[in-house]
């Protein structure tokens, strides 16, 4: 959202309450850079930002074949989007156009359930996002370690993680527009080698391979976690809505095109890999697509896939960090977390949020791939339950508020849309290990004590919480819309 220090008083400030009966004031705009010259994100970069926040290509889906075999892996990436991705994308389109501001799902939950639950939503989703982002340096180095064995462990690997994090963090600092077009370049570069591999593999395809299944030898936990991790985070783009050009029209279209791109980017490489090469499930781990490329096309194609994988993880990293840091900025503009998180650099980027997100990545990068996936899925599930509740409650509580994009269903339909993904969430939570449950619940407990702690620091004058006067008042909008309907 474009910050202004003139005319902001004319906009109504949303009264979303506070965490501990603290009266928040308007944001002190002195010293905040004027952002009129900051370019907004257009359609094409927005599509690829969503693509990288959700997917980034088929790198990381190999475990689905290891867990369940070719048939269930292929079916999963065709059916799972209808159970999870489509409902989440539809809800994001409606809520994102209803609240076209930074902060996204935090604003939805805070408006529907109050600021405490808004904070808890922000805490769980931010932590989930940072945990997710810790994956990408790991995947980046896993794809390179076959060419550079020293990156397989020890201090060279640790140093590489630090260098990568610093480099990608700086890119985020320089501007979201740069990140967006960088994502476009990386997306094209990462998809092309699989197109080439597909053409080369046609004479080698064995359709019978696609039907292989052993229902008695399926690791359901690994299978569902892999599908879930690779097909979620559609709501992450909502935290950048304030930076999008004409979000009320652009956001729904971008989500639709990105959904098609993501499904194709998963399904067809799986079709090629399982059809052109004899399937040995134990070999299907992170980085195996590069081995398949060597078998199908030779060493040159393997290097191309490895380079594409490395660059794809760069794209996932920078886009996830953008989402996480702008979420913190949006929360600060709503007065949910301390005011200093709303500070922007001269490039319009949330400098404090970027530093916090980068620090979290470095702290969590020691975890293994499977531990990271399971932990972030567990926290993400709790956040999604709050989003579904907020979506239904806002439909019931504020029916007259303008929704530039609205899912063409009533209240009952809204509930039905949320049922399949909620059932899936219950399954994912039930399959989590005891270790993941304990770590996740510990994180939730830590988050639950932060609001009263914030209230104490505010009363002592140690921290300041403010609400931007440029943000709309949902309640006033609903009253005005209702009156116009009556007239």
């Amino acid at each position: 959202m474009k910050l202004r220090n003139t005319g902001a008083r004319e906009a109504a400030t949303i009264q979303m309450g506070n965490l501990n009966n603290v009266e928040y004031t308007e944001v002190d705009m002195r010293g905040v850079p004027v952002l009129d010259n900051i370019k907004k994100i257009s359609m094409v970069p927005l599509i690829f930002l969503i693509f990288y926040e959700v997917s980034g290509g088929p790198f990381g889906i190999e475990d689905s074949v290891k867990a369940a075999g070719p048939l269930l892996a292929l079916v999963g990436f065709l059916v799972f989007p209808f159970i999870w991705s489509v409902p989440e994308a539809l809800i994001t389109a409606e809520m994102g156009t209803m609240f076209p501001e930074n902060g996204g799902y935090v604003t939805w939950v805070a408006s529907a359930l109050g600021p405490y639950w808004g904070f808890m939503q922000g805490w769980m989703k931010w932590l989930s996002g940072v945990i997710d982002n810790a994956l990408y340096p790991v995947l980046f180095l896993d794809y390179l370690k076959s060419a550079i064995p020293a990156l397989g462990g020890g201090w060279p690997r640790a140093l590489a993680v630090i260098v990568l994090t610093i480099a990608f963090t700086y890119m985020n600092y320089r501007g979201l527009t740069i990140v967006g077009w960088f994502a476009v370049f990386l997306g094209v570069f990462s998809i092309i080698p699989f197109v080439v591999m597909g053409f080369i593999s046609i004479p080698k395809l064995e359709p019978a391979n696609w039907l292989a299944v052993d229902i008695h030898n399926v690791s359901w936990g690994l299978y569902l976690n892999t599908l879930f991790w690779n097909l979620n985070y559609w709501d992450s783009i909502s935290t950048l809505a304030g930076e999008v050009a004409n979000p009320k029209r652009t956001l729904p279209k971008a989500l639709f095109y990105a959904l098609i791109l993501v499904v194709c980017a998963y399904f067809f490489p799986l079709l090629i890999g399982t059809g052109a090469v004899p399937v040995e499930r134990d070999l299907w781990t992170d980085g195996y697509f590069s081995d398949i490329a060597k078998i199908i096309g030779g060493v040159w194609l393997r290097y191309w896939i490895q380079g594409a994988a490395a660059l794809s993880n760069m794209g996932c990293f920078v886009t996830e960090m953008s989402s996480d840091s702008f979420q913190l900025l949006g929360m600060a503009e709503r007065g949910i977390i301390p005011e200093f998180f709303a500070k922007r650099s001269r490039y319009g980027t949330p400098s404090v949020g970027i530093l916090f997100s980068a620090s979290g990545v470095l702290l969590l990068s020691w975890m293994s791939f499977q531990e990271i996936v399971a932990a972030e899925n567990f926290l993400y599930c709790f956040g999604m339950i709050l989003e579904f509740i907020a979506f239904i409650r806002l439909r019931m509580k504020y029916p007259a508020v303008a929704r530039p994009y609205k899912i063409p269903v009533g209240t009952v339909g809204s509930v039905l849309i949320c049922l399949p993904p909620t059932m899936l969430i219950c399954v994912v939570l039930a399959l989590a290990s005891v270790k993941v449950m304990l770590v996740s619940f510990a994180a939730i407990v830590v988050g639950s004590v932060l609001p009263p702690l914030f209230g104490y620091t505010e009363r002592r004058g140690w921290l300041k919480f403010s609400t931007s006067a440029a943000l709309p008042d949902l309640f006033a909008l609903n009253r005005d819309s209702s009156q116009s309907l009556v007239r």
Side-chain angles (χ1 to χ4, degrees):
M1 176 169 289
K2 191 180 295 182
L3 296 179
R4 300 179 293 275
N5 53 11
T6 59
R9 299 295 188 273
E10 298 176 2
T13 303
I14 187 169
Q15 300 301 320
M16 291 168 55
N18 55 66
L19 300 176
N20 287 279
N21 297 319
V22 177
E23 293 295 330
Y24 295 127
T25 60
E26 294 177 344
V27 173
D28 182 0
M29 304 303 293
R30 292 172 296 180
V32 176
V34 177
L35 302 176
D36 289 337
N37 61 335
I38 301 299
K39 292 183 178 179
K40 297 287 186 176
I41 306 170
S42 57
M43 175 69 76
V44 174
L46 185 61
I47 292 171
F48 280 89
L49 282 174
I50 299 171
F51 174 71
Y52 273 109
E53 285 175 350
V54 175
S55 166
F59 316 106
I61 67 173
E62 296 95 333
D63 279 326
S64 64
V65 178
K66 179 180 181 179
L71 180 61
L72 289 181
L74 290 167
V75 171
F77 281 102
L78 282 182
V79 175
F80 196 90
F82 290 97
I83 299 173
W84 181 265
S85 301
V86 171
E88 187 182 8
L90 288 173
I91 292 171
T92 299
E94 178 171 321
M95 294 287 93
T97 56
M98 185 178 177
F99 298 92
E101 61 180 77
N102 297 324
Y105 39 70
V106 177
T107 307
W108 315 344
V109 174
S111 298
L113 305 176
Y116 175 82
W117 289 109
F119 173 83
M120 289 301 296
Q121 168 75 354
W123 168 253
M124 289 185 288
K125 294 300 283 285
W126 178 80
L127 193 57
S128 171
V130 171
I131 293 173
D132 180 66
N133 222 14
L135 277 173
Y136 300 119
V138 173
L139 289 173
F140 181 94
L141 296 176
D142 282 346
Y143 269 92
L144 292 183
K145 68 183 180 183
S146 59
I148 310 175
L151 297 177
W155 69 265
R157 186 180 180 91
L159 180 62
V161 169
I162 294 172
V163 171
L164 289 171
T165 303
I166 292 174
F168 299 158
T169 300
Y170 179 71
M171 180 176 293
N172 269 274
Y173 171 76
R174 284 301 304 267
L176 189 57
T177 303
I178 294 176
V179 171
W181 284 107
F182 183 62
V184 174
F185 165 75
L186 293 180
V188 173
F189 183 83
S190 299
I191 291 171
I192 288 177
F194 287 97
V195 175
V196 174
M197 188 166 71
F199 282 112
I200 297 175
S201 69
I202 290 176
K204 304 177 182 180
L205 292 177
E206 295 289 343
N209 290 356
W210 299 328
L211 303 178
V213 61
D214 183 1
I215 201 68
H216 301 294
N217 186 25
V218 175
S219 174
W220 292 107
L222 177 60
Y223 176 65
L224 288 176
N225 270 322
T226 303
L227 289 174
F228 192 69
W229 176 63
N230 282 285
L231 285 164
N232 62 19
Y233 280 88
W234 295 94
D235 58 340
S236 293
I237 197 63
S238 67
T239 65
L240 306 171
E243 310 302 310
V244 175
N246 193 11
K248 296 179 180 181
R249 291 179 56 86
T250 306
L251 185 58
K253 292 181 180 179
L255 282 163
F256 173 75
Y257 295 133
L259 180 61
I260 296 174
L261 181 61
V262 166
V263 173
C264 291
Y266 285 149
F267 184 76
F268 287 106
L270 267 182
L271 204 66
I272 296 165
T274 57
V277 176
V279 177
E280 297 181 46
R281 284 173 54 177
D282 290 340
L283 298 178
W284 280 80
T285 57
D286 306 321
Y288 187 57
F289 271 120
S290 63
D291 295 330
I292 292 174
K294 182 181 179 181
I295 296 171
I296 293 175
V299 175
W300 66 273
L301 187 57
R302 177 183 186 177
Y303 286 145
W304 195 358
I305 293 289
Q306 286 179 332
L311 292 178
S312 176
N313 285 295
M314 291 172 60
C316 291
F317 188 99
V318 295
T319 54
E320 179 67 55
M321 180 172 285
S322 294
S323 176
D324 296 340
S325 55
F326 273 99
Q327 176 198 316
L328 295 179
L329 181 144
M331 292 174 70
E333 290 181 342
R334 282 293 185 186
I336 296 176
I337 59 175
E339 184 183 75
F340 63 81
F341 280 100
K343 181 178 175 58
R344 292 190 186 233
S345 69
R346 62 193 180 97
Y347 303 105
T349 51
S351 51
V352 177
I354 289 173
L355 289 175
F356 265 75
S357 297
S359 300
V361 169
L362 290 175
L363 289 173
L364 294 168
S365 59
W366 57 270
M367 298 174 66
S368 70
F369 179 87
Q370 296 304 330
E371 287 176 329
I372 291 175
V373 170
E376 67 98 355
N377 279 352
F378 199 88
L379 290 170
Y380 185 82
C381 284
F382 277 103
M384 287 308 304
I385 290 173
L386 288 178
E387 283 185 34
F388 295 152
I389 295 172
F391 167 64
I392 296 170
R393 182 168 173 77
L394 288 171
R395 275 292 190 98
M396 299 171 64
K397 192 176 180 181
Y398 302 117
V401 172
R403 291 167 169 81
Y405 173 84
K406 185 176 182 179
I407 306 172
V409 294
T411 302
V412 175
S414 300
V415 174
L416 293 176
I417 285 174
C418 296
L419 276 181
T422 302
M423 293 171 63
L424 179 64
I425 283 174
C426 294
V427 174
V428 172
L429 293 178
L431 291 173
S433 67
V434 174
K435 178 181 178 181
V436 168
M437 287 184 182
L438 292 175
V439 171
S440 301
F441 277 122
I444 293 171
V445 170
V446 171
S448 67
V449 302
L450 287 177
L453 180 61
F454 282 160
Y456 176 78
T457 58
E458 202 280 340
R459 289 191 296 272
R460 296 298 297 267
W462 298 341
L463 294 174
K464 186 177 180 182
F465 297 77
S466 303
T467 301
S468 172
L471 297 176
D473 183 346
L474 173 65
F475 303 94
L477 289 173
N478 188 71
R479 288 193 298 270
D480 294 343
S481 300
S482 299
Q483 291 170 3
S484 65
L485 289 173
V486 172
R487 289 196 295 268

